[in-house]
Amino acid sequence: MEPLIPETIAKRVQSVLAKIRSAEEQSGRPAGTVRLVAATKTVTVEDIAEGVRAGLSILGENRVQEALPKIAAFSQVPVHWHFLGQLQRRKVRSVIGRFDLIHSVDTLELAQEIDRRAGEAGCRQDVLLEVNIGGEPTKAGFHPDDVVRAVPMMAQLSHTCIKGLMTIPPLTADSDSARPYFRKLHDLAGQIAALEVPTVRMDELSMGMSNDYAVAIEEGATLVRVGTAIFGVRHV
Ligand SMILES: *Cc1c(COP(=O)(O)O)cnc(C)c1O
């Protein structure tokens, strides 16, 4: 019998990818509509490399300092990097052009700074707006009402492409209790899409982590961010 939690990173990658496929199937969504972002904070280059050999193609990092040497280590490997962590304005210059997608734009000012720096670099930066869907006082992200008000002000951004929304829901006892939060993010994306701001698309929903990505997929996730279920419990 297969052990409940596979023993190697390679096997866990296969198991997560299989679970994504089956959640797609169960919710009647075409295969390949959900992409796996492996959350690699604190994970060594060697362990990440094992995951990449097993099929990971998108790697998500939280801190600029930690990410840059890893990106350099994989410069000859066709992988994509996403930025997941809270981004300080003074670090924006270091992330432009290095990450295909920034998941964590949590203020209008940060969006404006990204736009300015992307303009200087002569590129267009794809981003998601992070929403504090549970309205938790200590958590980053736009309040759900504020994001709807902020989006029209992002129409002027000419070097930024807003692709969708991201959220980290409140901690819940089980994955099913997270479902209303995922549904709420999905509804919010519909509300924002209806504003028809030309530079703002709502194609991507980044939601779901190790404990709840199957439920998030059922509620419309297009990107799931999974760390522990692939690399094991973080000790740092
Ligand atoms: C660490 C992290 C994840 C992955 O969390 P796990 O529970 O380890 O799967 C997802 N999203 C963000 C923003 C993270 O920082």
Side-chain angles (χ1 to χ4, degrees), residues 181-223:
Y181 296 111
F182 296 142
R183 199 164 284 178
K184 197 171 169 196
L185 193 75
H186 183 269
D187 291 347
L188 196 57
Q191 233 177 298
I192 292 170
L195 298 174
E196 294 188 357
V197 177
T199 53
V200 179
R201 305 194 55 86
M202 284 289 127
D203 299 333
E204 304 283 357
L205 282 182
S206 169
M207 55 186 194
M209 314 201 294
S210 288
N211 288 329
D212 53 18
Y213 62 93
V215 173
I217 291 170
E218 289 166 16
E219 298 303 328
T222 63
L223 292 160

Side-chain angles (χ1 to χ4, degrees), residues 152-170:
M153 291 186 261
M154 294 176 187
Q156 276 86 7
L157 306 180
S158 50
H159 293 90
T160 311
C161 199
I162 296 158
K163 295 281 203 182
L165 304 179
M166 179 271 233
T167 199
I168 306 171

